[in-house]
Structures are given as C-alpha cells and as structure tokens.
Amino acid sequence: MFSVKPLKPTFKSYLPPLQTDLKKSPQLTIRKLEAKLLPGEIVVNEANFVRKCIGADSSQDDLWGKLICTNFKVSFITHNSLPQQNFKYVHRLLGEHDVPLACVEQVVTVNDVKGKQKVLGSNKKLKFNPTELILYCKDLRILRFRFDQAGPESAKKVCLAIAHYSQPADPQLLFGFEYVSSRYYGSSGERVNGVDPGGGQQTPLFDRPSDWDREIKRTGASEWRVCSVNEGYTISPSLPEYFVVPASLADQDLKQYACSFTGQRIPLWCWNHPNGSALVRMSSISDPQQQRKLDQRICSAITKSHPQRCDVFKSDLDKQLPNIQEVQAALVKLRQICVIEPFEESEEKWLSSLESSRWMDYVRAFLRHAVEVVYTLEGKHTSVILLEEEDRDLSCVVAGLVQLMLDPHCRSLLGFQALVQKEWVMAGHRFLDRCNHLKRNEERRKEESPLFLLFLDCVWQLLNQYPSAFEFTETYLTVLSDSMWIPIFSTFLFNCPKQRAEHSRDFARSRSIRLGQDQALRFPAVWDWSQQFSPKDQTLFNNPLYVGKGATCVQNGAVKTFKRTKQKSYSSTLRGLPPALRNGQLSDLDTLPRRNSLVLRLRPELGQAREPCETPCERFVRERFSRPADPQGMLLPQLLPSHLSLWRLYFLRWVPEARIPHGGPATAFHKLSLLVDEIHTLQSRLRHYNTSNSTPTPTGPPPPAPSLALSPPPNPPQRPHSLSRPQPEQQQQQQQQQQQQHHGRMYFRTSSSAPAGTPSTPDYLSSSFPFSPEGNLCRRGLLGTPLSKLLSGARIWLSTETLANEAL
C-alpha cells in the first residue's frame, strides 16, 4: 500500500492577532486574592476564576475573582470595582461582597448544559457539576455566581461547603463561639490583656439588679421591687435572673406560683406610667385548678401597686392578633413580590399583590392594639396585663410599641436599645428559633417568624409620621435588622439568657477556657456599634430633625431652652369625618364625605343618624389628633391606609428598578444634615464669642460643639473621683466621645473652605442610600432557562424537599 503524505496547510491570515482585554481577563492577579479573616475564622473551601453576575441581561459589568467559603461567611474577592459605585459604608466585620452564612436562606445550583437545578441542604450530595450558584439571602438579596472558567470539582466543593456550613446542627457550631474564644481568650484559656467584650458599653443589659433599680427609679415605680428568686435560673429557664415584681409579693409565694404558669414564667413588669398604672406581661396559667386563685392573687398585687387602687385590664393577645405562622406567610408573599418576581411582570398588579400579602394589615393590627393599650394606661389610669400562651412573642411587640408611644426616653438611641434589650433579649424571645439559625427541617421552619422585623416596621411607621420625635434614623433600624444575621452578638443568637450561659459553659469546658469570675463566655452585644462601623459611619444613625427634651436654641445670641407655651386646636382636613375612620377603621355604614358636601349642609340629621356610636377609645384618639403633636409627649399613629406605607429602604433597597437617583429620603437627609451642622457651628462660635467677651481667654480656635443643634447634650460630664486614675474602659469611652466630637454629629457637614451658595447633592445619593442594589439583586433571566419553573412562584421559599424532587 502507498502511504499518503499529509498536505501542508495553505491558509494564511493577514489579520493581527486578537488582543485580549486584560481588565476582563479572569487570570489577572487571581493568585494574590486572599480573604480577610476574623479571629477564629478559617477557610473551608474556595474556587478560582469565578464570575459574579452584576446584571441579569448583560455580562459586561460582571466581576472576576475568587469565591471563598469560611466558617463565618461567603466571600467574593476581586480587584475590580462595581460600576457606578461611588459610595458604600464600610463594615468592619464584612467585606463589600461578603454574606454571613447565617444570612443564607437557600443555596441553588444550576447546570445549564444538562438542564438541571437543585436546592442544596446540609449533608446533601450533588451529582452534577454546577455551572451557576444562586444564593437567596434572608435580607432579601439574590447573588449569582458563574463557574464558566472554574474547575468543576472546586465549584462543586465550594457549593457543598456553603450549603453545609450555612445550616449548623448545633448552636455551638455557630461562628460566635469561635470568635469569642479566639479574640477575648488566649490559647492558654485566659482573658487576653484584660479585653472586655462589653467595653465601651453604655446600653444597660439588664443582667444585674442595678440596671433594674435604675429603671424603677426612672419610671417612678415605687411599689415594685427587683426580684432575685430566679438567680441561677432555678425557677424558670426562659426568664432572666433578675426582674421586677410587685412589692406585695414575697419570694416564697413566687416560687410556689411559678409551677402553675406556662414555662414557669412569673408575670413580668414592663413599665410604669406617671399616673401609677403599670404594664405587665404574663403567660397563661397551665393548671386549671389554680387558675382562678392565681389570677386573683396576681391582680390583687398589681392593684395594690397603683396609687388609686384601680382595677386591672387583661388583654389576650392570642385572640386579637395574628399568630407567628401568619406573620411568616405574609413575609414570604411580600418577599416574592418585592425581589423574586421580575419588576416588569409585577408592575401592574404590584399594589394588589402587596395588599394580598397582608403584611401591612398585620402592621396595622399591632399598632391598633398598642393604641388600645395606651388608651387604657393613659386615658383610664388602669394597669394592663398582656396575656400570651408563652409570653415570648406577641407580647414583645406590643410591650415595645406601647412604651415607644408613651415614653420619650424610649425614642432616644440609648433608650430604644435598652427597650429592645429589656423586652426582647432578657424577656426570652426565641431569636435562635425565630431567625432559624440552625439546620432547617419542617419542624424548625414552623418556628420561624419575623416578629422582630415586624416590630421594626411598626417603629418605622411611627418614625415616618413623627420624624422629629426619634433620635435615630431608618438607616439605624435597617442596620439593626441586618445585625440579626451576624452570628457574633449575643443579642440575636440565643432563645434566652440561660441557653447562652449553658452553651458557653459547655463550649468553654470543651476548649479548656478558664472563665474565672465569669460564669459563661462573654459575647459582645450588638449595641457597641464601634465593632461594625467607624465613628463617621455611625453618624448615619443620628436624626437631624430630632427635638430632644430641653432642646436648646439661640435667640439674640443667648442660648435658651425650647418649650411649647401654647397648644392650638387644628381641625381635620376632611369635614364630617366618621369617628371610626379617624382610628383607621371604616364600618359598612360609614361613607367618606367630600369637603364641601351639600348633603352635610342640607341634611345634617341623616349623617348624624347613620354615624355609629363613638367608643371611648375612638374619642380619646380623636381628641389627641385635634391637638398638635408633641415630640416629647404621647404619640399615636395614624392608621388609615394612606398614612401607612411600605418600608421602602428595607424591602426595596436591592431592587434596581425602585432606585431613584438623587431622590428619596436621602436627599432630604443630606440637606437637613448640612443645615443642622451649620447651626451647630454658629452656636459654637456664639458660645466662644460670649466667653471671650466675658472672660479673657488665650487666643485659639473655637472649641468643638458638644452636641447636636436640635437635640440635648448626649451625656452630662461626670465628676471624677479624687485620687483615682481613669480606667481603661473610661479611657476608651472618652476616646470615642472625642472622635465623635471631631467628626461631628452629622454625616454630611458644611465645609468652611467651600464656596458660598447651596451645596450640590452628591452623585451617589439615591433612594437606596446608604445601600446599593449593584451586585446585590441579580435575578436570572426567565426565558429559555431551566430556572423558569423554579422562579415562577413562591415555592422556593416554602418547601425545599418538594422543590428538590420535582422534575422539570
């Protein structure tokens, strides 16, 4: 046979070789990308040459980098920057592209070639090589990563690691234990350099009797006392060691009564009104034989604590408010229409879908019930008992809202933090179960419920209606909600104080950590915001419109105290408004008349005949609305649908279609901050001028202004102890206060070197400020993709097992 000689190629190209875009090349400095790790944090798995999707339709803005899974977070490391991203607050615990594992709701892997997808769970197997990873987060973010250039095995391993470590089976596997043991305790098990995780803490934690004593004195509850009968958690596992009870009840009686209550939860004192009425929360009585006797004994003790010996009103929350499953279902529907469904498909039916979710109805229901309790305490001078089966869920929301409406101290920053610590953390709210931090199964999913988010939404409704009555901003409320998914702080990590003590003791024993005088590991509280943000970024929490108690103003060069001298009566905008409608309700017989309706002028007797009888609570609310609101007085919310709106900064901050450049509340916040800072500067100069004229002082720059112009001074200076040196904690607090004075109380400040005139609005300001939807909400295209059926409904949030086994 003849051998055939292969022919030589004759084609010749006259075009220059294609130049690769180095900026878009995934090989650029990938090997030098390393994650920033916290104490106790280790890298579990990683994958190189990963592409993070920024836009749903185009990939030209996507970022190349390394995807890393640690025992704390999912981290994406890149040298590129996001497009049109000129501002983002810097988090000291998380990077720009980091997501805590506790924030991951579901892990979905996709293979475009085989047309498969799977929702991964803990200890689940993955039989195909993923080409895409989608992370659905509890803070409503949707993150997408592509593995086009990554190795198939590394992509599979990092997906399985994220699914496994985001669902720990035991509380001691949460990252907070490793973080605390590594940062605050050395390798020998002793405290590192005396570092205190609660250093610089000003918010009372209510874990000692002195905090409760100060709260009793502040509210004037002279007929109540601090009880230590549960010291060591010997009576009730879900109650704190110290709490407040009527002075007429002896410790021996409390020990005897505890076994008859659900969870051995003795009735808890919440707050005292200046007129003597008290707000108390109580669990149900499990022993029917002792129910009547105990009920009379508890009511008699609360009656004796009232100066007028008034009767006690009981409010059954289980019968009048939605349960935790209904609240959870409402959030699932709301999340579906806000972030999962494409905006183009849901735009026409968006308002009707929002109404059908019933989230706003539940917000209105809790606010309305809190108004009724406020009327009982303020209008009827009667003590109120909040009844609930376990006294750990609904009563937390109602008790907190009632105190916000009645006590101006709770509307300050420190007062609000103390309120959450007292009524939520120490009262035994099940944060571990309600946030679903552990491995998800059907039983634990039934315990999941966003009650704390519902409470923050109710607080935002009050803040939106009375912006000058609150010291904090909606940015603070949003960041506080996001802190629930950072498993470092003890505030949102456990179901009760006893659970924290037991697990920390067991963990310390297993790691040979010497606790010393501490009975348990001391986890940091979320209230020390310096652990997450710089002093500059913390100024985003300060409300420029806040009018505190005894706020100062300057008149003719003299500093005076603002006081309301006369209250005028203002009529309602709508004439002949039905009384029930003023309280947010409209019966079937009521109609909404026009302002100049002839029916009311010609036949007023018909309108009066059809108008139902006004209840005392409705009359009380109507009289309060007829007077101007006092920021330092009682606040009642308007409950009409036109007055309650969706919390846009929280629910729509990641939606690109809802982002308004140079618009939204951020622009008003910018202008008001500049105005307040300018007033602040002028006040400082006036004080310096008056001081220099009255007393000869050395020349020099004017001293820094001590506080916000429209708010009271933060804390009066304390008299130093003689012959004593400042402690390390006091020095740290003084340094923080000096830094805050240096940076100012406002985030946006006027510059003395800037030219005269109105300052321009920064380019990065939008309705999502200080957050950005860039790279945080990337929906996958629905046309022609294997996820079209997966993302077509809310089932992705409801049943993992059904969705994983469903065939396309």
Side-chain angles (χ1 to χ4, degrees):
M1 298 182 63
F2 298 95
S3 61
V4 181
K5 188 176 181 180
L7 297 177
K8 295 182 179 181
T10 58
F11 178 78
K12 183 178 180 180
S13 176
Y14 294 93
L15 296 177
L18 182 63
Q19 299 290 335
T20 27
D21 190 359
L22 297 180
K23 294 184 179 180
K24 293 295 181 179
S25 176
Q27 287 84 5
L28 179 63
T29 64
I30 289 295
R31 296 180 180 179
K32 298 181 181 180
L33 298 176
E34 299 294 339
K36 296 181 180 180
L37 303 179
L38 298 176
E41 186 178 6
I42 59 175
V43 175
V44 178
N45 231 308
E46 61 184 27
N48 290 316
F49 308 104
V50 178
R51 177 162 56 94
K52 182 180 180 181
C53 301
I54 302 301
D57 302 327
S58 175
S59 60
Q60 60 180 355
D61 295 330
D62 293 350
L63 303 179
W64 289 93
K66 178 190 292 187
L67 183 63
I68 301 175
C69 175
T70 71
N71 57 342
F72 168 54
K73 63 178 180 286
V74 178
S75 181
F76 180 76
I77 312 299
T78 180
H79 282 319
N80 299 332
S81 59
L82 286 171
Q84 301 177 356
Q85 179 78 11
N86 299 324
F87 168 83
K88 184 175 177 63
Y89 68 93
V90 179
H91 203 288
R92 291 181 172 178
L93 300 178
L94 297 170
E96 185 178 7
H97 303 281
D98 294 351
V99 178
L101 289 172
C103 186
V104 176
E105 175 75 13
Q106 281 192 343
V107 181
V108 181
T109 54
V110 183
N111 187 292
D112 293 333
V113 179
K114 297 182 179 181
K116 294 182 178 180
Q117 96 289 327
K118 184 176 183 180
V119 180
L120 292 180
S122 180
N123 299 324
K124 292 291 184 67
K125 295 182 179 180
L126 188 59
K127 297 182 180 180
F128 58 85
N129 295 325
T131 60
E132 185 174 358
L133 171 67
I134 306 177
L135 298 181
Y136 294 89
C137 304
K138 297 178 182 178
D139 60 356
L140 307 185
R141 283 186 286 178
I142 302 179
L143 307 180
R144 289 175 54 213
F145 301 95
R146 296 284 304 179
F147 303 112
D148 299 326
Q149 303 294 333
E153 288 299 324
S154 61
K156 181 187 294 185
K157 289 180 179 180
V158 74
C159 292
L160 291 174
I162 293 173
H164 177 72
Y165 281 87
S166 62
Q167 302 181 27
D170 188 83
Q172 296 185 24
L173 297 177
L174 293 169
F175 175 70
F177 288 89
E178 296 289 345
Y179 177 79
V180 172
S181 62
S182 301
R183 180 175 181 180
Y184 301 115
Y185 298 89
S187 58
S188 61
E190 296 181 355
R191 187 74 68 84
V192 179
N193 299 326
V195 176
D196 187 2
Q201 181 64 249
Q202 298 180 359
T203 302
L205 301 180
F206 294 97
D207 56 351
R208 59 191 67 183
S210 58
D211 294 340
W212 292 102
D213 284 329
R214 282 191 290 267
E215 185 69 9
I216 289 177
K217 293 178 181 179
R218 188 187 68 84
T219 57
S222 58
E223 297 297 328
W224 298 77
R225 66 178 180 89
V226 181
C227 174
S228 59
V229 69
N230 198 39
E231 198 168 18
Y233 309 102
T234 56
I235 300 297
S236 175
S238 60
L239 287 179
E241 292 186 287
Y242 309 100
F243 50 90
V244 179
V245 296
S248 59
L249 288 178
D251 289 350
Q252 190 64 29
D253 295 335
L254 295 175
K255 294 179 181 179
Q256 182 181 357
Y257 299 156
C259 59
S260 300
F261 288 94
T262 302
Q264 294 81 42
R265 291 181 61 90
I266 306 171
L268 294 177
W269 172 86
C270 299
W271 182 76
N272 235 60
H273 195 278
N275 60 26
S277 56
L279 180 64
V280 185
R281 46 192 296 180
M282 186 176 72
S283 63
S284 61
I285 300 176
S286 56
D287 190 356
Q289 298 180 355
Q290 300 290 334
Q291 182 172 3
R292 184 174 182 181
K293 177 183 177 181
L294 284 179
D295 193 62
Q296 293 178 352
R297 185 69 181 92
I298 297 299
C299 292
S300 176
I302 298 177
T303 301
K304 290 180 181 179
S305 66
H306 199 288
Q308 301 177 2
R309 301 296 190 267
C310 295
D311 294 334
V312 179
F313 175 77
K314 299 177 185 177
S315 177
D316 195 341
L317 304 183
D318 292 325
K319 296 181 179 179
Q320 303 178 21
L321 293 174
N323 55 40
I324 60 173
Q325 289 80 14
E326 293 174 339
V327 176
Q328 172 67 13
L331 180 64
V332 169
K333 296 178 182 178
L334 182 61
R335 179 164 42 190
Q336 176 75 18
I337 65 174
C338 285
V339 297
I340 298 182
E341 292 182 354
F343 183 77
E344 294 80 3
E345 297 182 5
S346 61
E347 181 179 6
E348 297 180 356
K349 57 180 181 179
W350 199 86
L351 292 178
S352 59
S353 301
L354 175 63
E355 183 181 1
S356 62
S357 68
R358 303 207 64 186
W359 176 264
M360 299 305 301
D361 292 339
Y362 295 155
V363 170
R364 185 180 297 106
F366 277 92
L367 287 172
R368 182 185 297 115
H369 194 83
V371 169
E372 295 174 357
V373 177
V374 166
Y375 160 70
T376 306
L377 294 169
E378 171 82 13
K380 301 177 65 176
H381 295 196
T382 302
S383 299
V384 178
I385 298 179
L386 302 178
L387 295 175
E388 192 185 2
E389 179 67 25
E390 292 186 351
D391 183 35
R392 303 177 68 176
D393 292 310
L394 306 181
S395 55
C396 299
V397 182
V398 177
L401 292 178
V402 169
Q403 295 177 59
L404 273 174
M405 296 178 187
L406 289 174
D407 194 347
H409 171 73
C410 298
R411 300 193 284 267
S412 65
L413 185 60
L414 290 179
F416 180 76
Q417 294 179 166
L419 173 67
V420 175
Q421 183 71 25
K422 175 169 62 80
E423 299 298 338
W424 289 83
V425 181
M426 301 308 294
H429 179 67
R430 301 175 183 270
F431 278 108
L432 183 66
D433 296 337
R434 300 297 179 253
C435 297
N436 204 357
H437 287 318
L438 301 181
K439 185 177 180 179
R440 300 167 185 88
N441 50 40
E442 290 301 325
E443 294 183 0
R444 283 179 177 161
R445 286 188 179 276
K446 294 180 182 178
E447 299 294 328
E448 185 178 2
S449 183
L451 286 176
F452 189 69
L453 177 61
L454 180 72
F455 168 73
L456 295 181
D457 198 338
C458 294
V459 175
W460 179 83
Q461 301 293 339
L462 291 170
L463 171 63
N464 190 38
Q465 296 184 19
Y466 302 98
S468 62
F470 292 84
E471 187 181 9
F472 47 86
T473 61
E474 63 173 334
T475 300
Y476 167 79
L477 296 176
T478 307
V479 171
L480 179 60
S481 176
D482 292 341
S483 300
M484 287 192 297
W485 318 121
I486 302 179
I488 290 178
F489 312 110
S490 61
T491 311
F492 308 116
L493 207 57
F494 303 99
N495 287 335
C496 58
K498 182 183 179 181
Q499 187 187 52
R500 176 185 61 83
E502 289 180 347
H503 284 294
S504 60
R505 279 197 300 265
D506 296 341
F507 183 83
R509 191 181 301 111
S510 64
R511 297 296 181 89
S512 301
I513 297 177
R514 301 176 185 177
L515 297 178
Q517 297 180 355
D518 299 336
Q519 298 180 359
L521 290 177
R522 298 196 61 182
F523 285 80
V526 73
W527 313 125
D528 187 7
W529 293 105
S530 61
Q531 300 177 92
Q532 300 188 58
F533 305 103
S534 64
K536 172 66 174 177
D537 290 341
Q538 291 180 49
T539 55
L540 289 170
F541 300 163
N542 300 327
N543 183 10
L545 289 176
Y546 176 62
V547 179
K549 186 176 182 180
T552 57
C553 63
V554 179
Q555 184 176 356
N556 297 328
V559 179
K560 297 184 178 181
T561 302
F562 173 79
K563 292 182 179 179
R564 190 180 300 277
T565 57
K566 185 178 180 181
Q567 293 183 348
K568 298 182 180 181
S569 178
Y570 297 91
S571 60
S572 177
T573 305
L574 294 174
R575 307 299 180 185
L577 193 63
L581 186 58
R582 296 190 184 97
N583 197 24
Q585 300 174 348
L586 184 64
S587 62
D588 297 335
L589 298 178
D590 286 331
T591 57
L592 186 61
R594 297 171 58 186
R595 183 180 180 91
N596 297 321
S597 177
L598 293 176
V599 177
L600 295 179
R601 284 191 283 177
L602 299 178
R603 304 178 62 183
E605 66 281 356
L606 295 180
Q608 296 177 1
R610 296 179 57 185
E611 188 172 305
C613 181
E614 188 179 26
T615 63
C617 181
E618 294 171 350
R619 187 183 309 110
F620 171 79
V621 173
R622 176 174 55 82
E623 292 176 356
R624 299 300 301 187
F625 286 156
S626 64
R627 291 176 285 179
D630 183 8
Q632 289 299 308
M634 181 179 62
L635 301 182
L636 296 181
Q638 296 274 5
L639 299 178
L640 286 174
S642 58
H643 294 112
L644 299 181
S645 57
L646 182 70
W647 187 7
R648 294 181 295 274
L649 183 62
Y650 181 84
F651 292 104
L652 301 178
R653 53 180 165 162
W654 313 123
V655 182
E657 296 86 353
R659 180 178 178 269
I660 307 174
H662 303 286
T667 55
F669 176 78
H670 170 252
K671 300 296 183 183
L672 291 172
S673 299
L674 295 178
L675 177 61
V676 168
D677 186 71
E678 186 175 359
I679 295 175
H680 197 176
T681 305
L682 293 176
Q683 286 183 349
S684 177
R685 293 179 180 177
L686 284 174
R687 293 190 186 95
H688 179 69
Y689 176 78
N690 294 334
T691 305
S692 60
N693 288 342
S694 59
T695 306
T697 56
T699 58
S707 63
L708 182 62
L710 300 180
S711 63
N715 281 319
Q718 297 181 355
R719 182 178 301 175
H721 297 283
S722 59
L723 302 179
S724 63
R725 296 182 179 180
Q727 300 297 325
E729 296 181 5
Q730 297 178 358
Q731 292 179 354
Q732 184 178 2
Q733 293 180 7
Q734 292 176 2
Q735 292 177 359
Q736 292 179 358
Q737 291 178 1
Q738 292 176 1
Q739 290 179 358
Q740 290 180 358
Q741 292 179 1
H742 174 72
H743 291 286
R745 293 275 297 178
M746 293 291 100
Y747 184 83
F748 299 103
R749 303 191 62 187
T750 56
S751 177
S752 58
S753 60
T758 304
S760 59
T761 304
D763 296 334
Y764 54 78
L765 277 186
S766 67
S767 57
S768 302
F769 178 84
F771 309 96
S772 174
E774 297 291 338
N776 289 316
L777 182 63
C778 186
R779 306 186 188 94
R780 204 169 192 266
L782 296 180
L783 298 179
T785 64
L787 280 183
S788 58
K789 190 173 182 180
L790 180 66
L791 299 180
S792 61
R795 290 170 297 173
I796 186 172
W797 301 101
L798 297 179
S799 176
T800 305
E801 291 77 9
T802 304
L803 187 60
N805 298 327
E806 183 179 1
L808 290 175

